Amino acid sequence: EVQLVESGGGLVQPGGSLRLSCAASGFPFSSLPMTWVRQAPGQDSAWVSTIYPNGTTYYTYPVKDRFTASRDNTKNTLYLQLNGLKTEDTAMYYCAKTSCWRDNGCRGQGTQVTVSS
């Protein structure tokens, strides 16, 4: 059974930082690309970042140079370092298998990031 468990969200002031984690199990994590997705209230899910097994990363333009995705294939864990947070980054953040990131059933339960002064 595929399991993805996100953690690390919280309330932070603009300009602050958070580190999100995603613990994966039930599939060959180390050999698959993984994706971070976010969904703001009242909006569709949006792709944030994809990281390949070799560590190659891609980011959506609004977060480029502020967010950093990484992975530890020995721990089956995905990370997203969020720096320079802005109010528009407020959203529920999910990790997902890249092959089905648009599918709600392919994600974890999410972790809430709220950026507010």
Side-chain angles (χ1 to χ4, degrees), residues 37-46 87-94 112-113:
V37 182
R38 66 184 179 184
Q39 186 168 21
Q43 297 186 21
D44 292 335
S45 297
T87 56
E88 53 263 43
D89 294 320
T90 294
M92 186 73 80
Y93 284 71
Y94 302 89
Q112 178 67 40
V113 171

Side-chain angles (χ1 to χ4, degrees), residues 12-28:
V12 63
Q13 293 186 342
S17 298
L18 287 171
R19 189 191 195 204
L20 308 184
S21 298
C22 169
S25 62
F27 64 98

Side-chain angles (χ1 to χ4, degrees), residues 21-35:
S21 298
C22 169
S25 62
F27 64 98
F29 173 86
S30 63
S31 62
L32 294 177
M34 295 293 295
T35 289

Side-chain angles (χ1 to χ4, degrees), residues 17-107:
S17 298
L18 287 171
R19 189 191 195 204
L20 308 184
S21 298
C22 169
S25 62
F27 64 98
F29 173 86
S30 63
S31 62
L32 294 177
M34 295 293 295
T35 289
W36 285 98
V37 182
R38 66 184 179 184
Q39 186 168 21
Q43 297 186 21
D44 292 335
S45 297
W47 173 77
V48 175
S49 175
T50 293
I51 181 167
Y52 284 79
N54 66 357
T56 300
T57 51
Y58 297 92
Y59 303 93
T60 187
Y61 181 78
V63 311
K64 192 171 171 52
D65 298 328
R66 297 189 297 120
F67 292 6
T68 303
S70 61
R71 63 194 295 164
D72 186 336
N73 290 333
T74 66
K75 296 182 179 179
N76 282 8
T77 302
L78 183 69
Y79 303 99
L80 187 66
Q81 178 69 41
L82 287 63
N83 296 330
L85 281 161
K86 304 176 180 181
T87 56
E88 53 263 43
D89 294 320
T90 294
M92 186 73 80
Y93 284 71
Y94 302 89
C95 63
K97 296 168 63 177
T98 299
S99 61
C100 53
W101 70 265
R102 292 180 177 84
D103 182 354
N104 288 342
C106 229
R107 306 171 186 170

